[in-house]
Amino acid sequence: MWLLGFLIRLKLPVLSLDISEDSKLIVTCSADKNVKIWGLDFGDCHKSIFAHEESVMQVAFERGSHYFWTVGKDKMLKYWDGDKVSMVHLFFSISSPTPHFSSKGYKN
C-alpha cells in the first residue's frame, strides 16, 4: 500500500512496473524518462536512473533474476543489472517503442 500512495503523488504517470520473481525488488518506469528500483521489504527507493532520452514505456524482470529490460519511446531496448544498478547492454533502433515482454523474454 505504501507504493500506491507514493505513485499517486508523482508528477508524471508510472507507465509500467514489475516485481522480481523472489519478491525482493520492484522496478517502475515513467514518462519522466526514469526507472526506479524499490525494495519490497521496507518500501525504499534503492535507485532512480535516468534511463532513456524519451519516456520509458515498459519494464520487465528477467525470470529468476534481478536483471531487467526497459524500452523507451526513443526506440532503444536496454538490459540492466538490478543489483549493481548498471546497464549491461544497449540495443539500438528496435522497430516498435512498445515491444511485447513476457516471462519467456522479449519479442519485437
Side-chain angles (χ1 to χ4, degrees), residues 14-103:
V14 169
L15 300 175
S16 176
L17 62 86
D18 198 17
I19 299 172
S20 63
E21 196 170 48
D22 63 3
S23 298
K24 291 187 178 184
L25 296 178
I26 186 170
V27 64
T28 62
C29 68
S30 73
D32 68 2
K33 308 172 190 174
N34 289 300
V35 169
K36 293 185 187 302
I37 302 171
W38 306 83
L40 282 174
D41 49 0
F42 298 107
D44 57 323
C45 181
H46 289 192
K47 188 75 173 178
S48 181
I49 308 162
F50 181 77
H52 287 266
E53 295 298 320
E54 294 186 39
S55 297
V56 187
M57 302 303 294
Q58 194 169 3
V59 293
F61 274 106
E62 187 76 27
R63 186 180 233 169
S65 73
H66 287 168
Y67 286 89
F68 64 92
W69 298 89
T70 64
V71 64
K73 271 193 167 178
D74 55 9
K75 294 188 177 181
M76 292 193 187
L77 177 70
K78 297 182 180 184
Y79 189 55
W80 302 84
D81 182 332
D83 292 321
K84 294 180 182 175
V85 193
S86 62
M87 187 172 49
V88 176
H89 197 77
L90 167 65
F91 300 88
F92 289 97
S93 223
I94 59 172
S95 62
S96 169
T98 55
H100 174 69
F101 284 113
S102 74
S103 60

Side-chain angles (χ1 to χ4, degrees), residues 5-18:
F6 178 78
L7 296 177
I8 290 170
R9 293 190 307 263
L10 293 174
K11 291 180 183 178
L12 293 173
V14 169
L15 300 175
S16 176
L17 62 86
D18 198 17

